[in-house]
Amino acid sequence: MSGIVQIVSCLDGYDPEALRVDKAIEAIKACLTPISQAEAVPVREALGRVLAQEIVPDINVPAHDNSAMDGYAVRSSDLADKETALEEIGVALAGKPLRGAVGAGQCARVMTGAVMPQGTDAVVIQEVVKRDGKRIVVPPGQKKGQNVRYAGEDLKIGVPVLKSGKHLRPAEIGLIASLGIGEVQVKRRLRVAFFATGDELASIGAKLREGEIYDSNRYTLHGMLSRLGVDITDLGVVRDRPDLLEKAFLEAAGSADVVITTGGVSVGEADFIKQLMAKLGEVLFWKIAMRPGRPMAFGRIGDAFLFGLPGNPVAVMVTFYQFVRDALLHLSGRTDDYAIALLNAISSEKIRKVAGRTEYQRGILYREGGQWKVRTTGQQGSGVLRSMSEANCFIVLEHSRGSVAAGEPVQVQVMEGLT
Ligand code: AMP
Ligand code: MG
């Protein structure tokens, strides 16, 4: 374990007291080492996993030149600038090739997917020919190679098609299957343990006492982690007591690759956590120039990385999506591009914003007059979880930007499909 403090303090413009979002992302990434262990799984079960091998075809896909249409396979050298009459000598179906070759002046009936009969090099679609028994009349204007799918046009023997680190979606699963491969190596799942901290937290099923609130962070975290396909351990609610917290941190770090906590990192509480963390590992406490989600801790305890998220429910979700998600994907071994897309939309209203921090306002993206427009969900307090539920996007107001006037373009991150 090489020192996190050492790595991070070498970064240009690193200021833990007023850390820009982009710097925090850079600092986290600089410290992470992706997991390397892999396991073999049947191809269907590899959906959503991270590939841990290169896929190099040992067959061509398709394996043979074949017809892309229903029609007639012809020899383009037979055709002229006028109608040409050819003799149909047989039929080739998908999976049932024509025996023998097509000679000069001849053609063969072919169906989509049929192997191109020997001697032929183009397919004339059935809709344009005239037929009279075995006599097929082809109109002028046909071209060599038309309506033919060539062997290896999809995947070629020896040409690598998937790299290690690729996220396996339905397309990749099908592609691997098209090569006849039944089992693939994938990275083992990342193990993530989490707990919520707070003396005010009540668990579902318990009656609320004065000053208590139900813990919701563990539920949003569980939901967000489930979508990422990691192995999840929920360690429950831990009271703000050093002995209990120490036990929870050690238990979590002992079995997981990543530990996520919520609460206890705000200025009022951080001192006490800081002392504890100094004993257990190496943890940085950041004030990030963002809203919501200003306080956050990042570090290592034993072999596990720690993300100490704020306590406020919206801040938990925002810091998760902006920092933790990408960190977990990186740790999982992903090497493809998994950044959340930033798209442009027109703000339909004025948005108050202070320059010098990145804001993630909850927005509603909608289509109007042929344009994508966005408005906020209203009240943006970091405790208003309803704002997340009403939103279908984050309005990302960049660091140096001030207030937004109605009609100005802004950037948004769409929540639908967000992992
Ligand atoms: P903290 O960062 O611990 O000071 O918490 C900040 C705010 O978030 C407080 O108002 C807490 O009551 C609230 N909060 C902390 N943890 C949770 C939780 N697990 N579920 C819902 N609200 C929480
Ligand atoms: Mg607290």
Side-chain angles (χ1 to χ4, degrees):
M1 191 212 305
S2 93
I4 277 182
V5 175
Q6 217 179 331
I7 296 172
V8 162
S9 52
C10 291
L11 298 174
D12 237 26
Y14 172 73
D15 174 6
E17 291 300 309
L19 194 58
R20 287 177 60 122
V21 167
D22 51 355
K23 281 288 148 195
I25 291 169
E26 191 187 334
I28 291 167
K29 196 154 184 193
C31 297
L32 303 176
T33 318
I35 54 171
S36 54
Q37 297 97 322
E39 61 195 8
V41 295
V43 62
R44 214 174 256 187
E45 286 168 31
L47 183 67
R49 304 291 297 270
V50 181
L51 191 63
Q53 65 172 98
E54 193 178 43
I55 300 288
V56 186
D58 62 1
I59 55 168
N60 280 322
V61 178
H64 308 276
D65 294 352
N66 68 84
S67 177
M69 301 291 277
D70 294 344
Y72 294 86
V74 301
R75 303 163 60 102
S76 58
S77 56
D78 282 346
L79 306 180
D81 290 343
K82 53 183 175 46
E83 287 191 337
T84 313
L86 301 168
E87 179 205 356
E88 182 194 325
I89 61 155
V91 185
L93 306 173
K96 286 212 173 67
L98 181 81
R99 274 185 223 285
V102 171
Q106 298 180 327
C107 68
R109 178 106 174 96
V110 284
M111 293 299 168
T112 305
V115 173
M116 287 297 286
Q118 217 184 316
T120 64
D121 60 11
V123 171
V124 181
I125 58 170
Q126 59 189 11
E127 290 81 357
V128 301
V129 307
K130 286 185 274 190
R131 56 180 306 170
D132 171 14
K134 292 285 166 203
R135 194 168 168 272
I136 306 298
V137 178
V138 175
Q142 314 300 324
K143 289 196 181 61
K144 183 175 174 176
Q146 72 181 20
N147 303 320
V148 177
R149 300 190 290 217
Y150 289 100
E153 142 181 318
D154 187 357
L155 306 175
K156 255 197 185 59
I157 292 180
V159 179
V161 54
L162 297 177
K163 288 201 192 92
S164 179
K166 175 90 179 164
H167 181 229
L168 298 175
R169 304 166 302 167
E172 285 76 30
I173 298 299
L175 193 148
I176 292 167
S178 78
L179 292 168
I181 299 171
E183 196 179 77
V184 282
Q185 288 286 325
V186 296
K187 308 274 185 191
R188 75 157 167 82
R189 284 187 202 276
L190 197 69
R191 292 189 279 260
V192 181
F194 65 89
F195 55 91
T197 72
D199 285 337
E200 75 281 32
L201 301 179
S203 291
I204 293 175
K207 201 165 150 35
L208 283 186
R209 288 184 302 215
E210 197 185 345
E212 286 188 337
I213 54 167
Y214 284 116
D215 158 35
S216 62
N217 288 344
R218 275 169 49 236
Y219 292 83
T220 46
L221 266 182
H222 184 272
M224 293 187 291
L225 289 168
S226 298
R227 288 220 174 151
L228 279 178
V230 297
D231 269 349
I232 302 170
T233 308
D234 180 351
L235 295 172
V237 169
V238 180
R239 299 286 164 220
D240 294 318
R241 260 177 49 192
D243 55 332
L244 298 178
L245 285 167
E246 178 169 348
K247 194 167 151 271
F249 275 119
L250 290 176
E251 184 187 344
S255 61
D257 303 302
V258 176
V259 178
I260 301 175
T261 64
T262 69
V265 291
S266 55
V267 178
E269 292 181 301
D271 284 348
F272 133 74
I273 295 270
K274 266 184 198 167
Q275 282 174 15
L276 181 67
M277 299 317 294
K279 216 169 90 181
L280 299 178
E282 203 185 3
V283 178
L284 303 163
F285 287 80
W286 290 337
K287 290 194 181 77
I288 304 179
M290 71 186 289
R291 185 157 149 158
R294 196 162 100 100
M296 196 177 108
F298 169 69
R300 274 193 96 141
I301 305 169
D303 286 333
F305 289 100
L306 170 78
F307 291 89
L309 306 185
N312 277 307
V314 180
V316 168
M317 297 197 77
V318 170
T319 50
F320 184 93
Y321 284 127
Q322 305 306 327
F323 303 112
V324 183
R325 170 193 179 270
D326 285 13
L328 297 185
L329 294 177
H330 181 65
L331 283 171
S332 299
R334 290 274 297 268
T335 54
D336 47 359
D337 187 6
Y338 47 77
I340 303 171
L342 276 171
L343 308 172
N344 289 316
I346 301 295
S347 179
S348 62
E349 62 188 21
K350 182 172 183 288
I351 306 175
R352 278 177 47 205
K353 153 82 166 63
V354 179
R357 67 185 185 209
T358 307
E359 290 195 13
Y360 297 90
Q361 300 216 0
R362 276 72 71 209
I364 297 167
L365 186 66
Y366 63 99
R367 187 103 178 132
E368 190 182 77
Q371 271 188 323
W372 285 105
K373 296 188 177 173
V374 67
R375 63 173 187 272
T376 70
T377 56
Q379 222 186 335
Q380 296 286 309
S382 63
V384 184
L385 194 52
R386 182 171 42 82
S387 70
M388 281 296 296
S389 173
E390 286 171 357
N392 63 5
C393 71
F394 286 116
I395 304 171
V396 183
L397 301 174
E398 56 277 29
H399 188 87
S400 52
R401 186 166 195 163
S403 286
V404 175
E408 270 184 44
V410 289
Q411 293 191 303
V412 300
Q413 291 174 333
V414 176
M415 288 174 179
E416 179 65 32
L418 192 58
T419 50

